[in-house]
Structures are given as C-alpha cells and as structure tokens.
Amino acid sequence: MFRDLVRKTSGLRRPGSAALDLAWSGGRPPPTASSRSASTPGTSPPGCLLVIEAGGLVSDFAGEENYLKSGNIVAGSPRIFVQLLQTIQPHLTPALRG
C-alpha cells in the first residue's frame, strides 16, 4: 500500500505523531493526504477534527465513518480523497476493511 501511495504522489511525510500528521493534512493547501493504520485512539480525534474543520475528508480505509473505532484513518482534501481510497482498496485485508 505504501509503495503505491509513494508512486502516485509527489511525496509522503510520516512525522510519527498521528495528531501532527493529520493536522498538517488539514492545514495545507490541497492536495494533501494522510493515512494511518491502528493509530493511538487519544491522538487521532484532534487531528481528524482539524482536517474536517479545514474542509478535508476523513474516513476509515473502507471509506466509512468508523475511523475512530478502528484506528485506520484516511484523511485528505476533497480533490484527491477518492483517488486515495482507490489506491488503498486493493491492499486491504478483510480485517482492514472494517
């Protein structure tokens, strides 16, 4: 999954903090995106809120709103969000589909 995302983007950044990564996705001009697998529950909600307040979209890997429960987060600008989900979909195991 990560390899496909790297190939289809101009670059990825992984600072290590889910909240920081999501905040940068929400605060940057489009197109920006972030994805996280099994994020720490306490760090994800503030970052997700920042993305949403900045006009971005947030979902789990299946494109549903189960991201806070699953910890699997996809976030990005509306301009690239569907493409991001389409890139991730072929790599999802049944457990990651929710």
Side-chain angles (χ1 to χ4, degrees):
M1 178 185 328
F2 193 77
R3 182 179 301 144
D4 278 355
L5 290 171
V6 168
R7 288 179 181 161
K8 293 184 178 191
T9 64
S10 61
L12 296 175
R13 98 189 100 63
R14 299 295 297 204
S17 164
L20 180 59
D21 196 24
L22 289 163
W24 279 347
S25 294
R28 302 278 179 162
T32 57
S34 175
S35 69
R36 285 270 171 185
S37 177
S39 293
T40 306
T43 63
S44 299
C48 292
L49 179 61
L50 286 169
V51 172
I52 293 165
E53 290 295 321
L57 301 173
V58 180
S59 77
D60 61 14
F61 289 164
E64 303 296 328
E65 294 183 3
N66 195 30
Y67 56 91
L68 291 178
K69 183 178 177 186
S70 71
N72 299 324
I73 300 171
V74 177
S77 68
R79 183 172 153 194
I80 63 165
F81 193 75
V82 171
Q83 293 169 318
L84 183 61
L85 286 174
Q86 289 170 344
T87 302
I88 291 171
Q89 292 297 316
H91 301 282
L92 298 182
T93 64
L96 289 176
R97 290 185 193 278

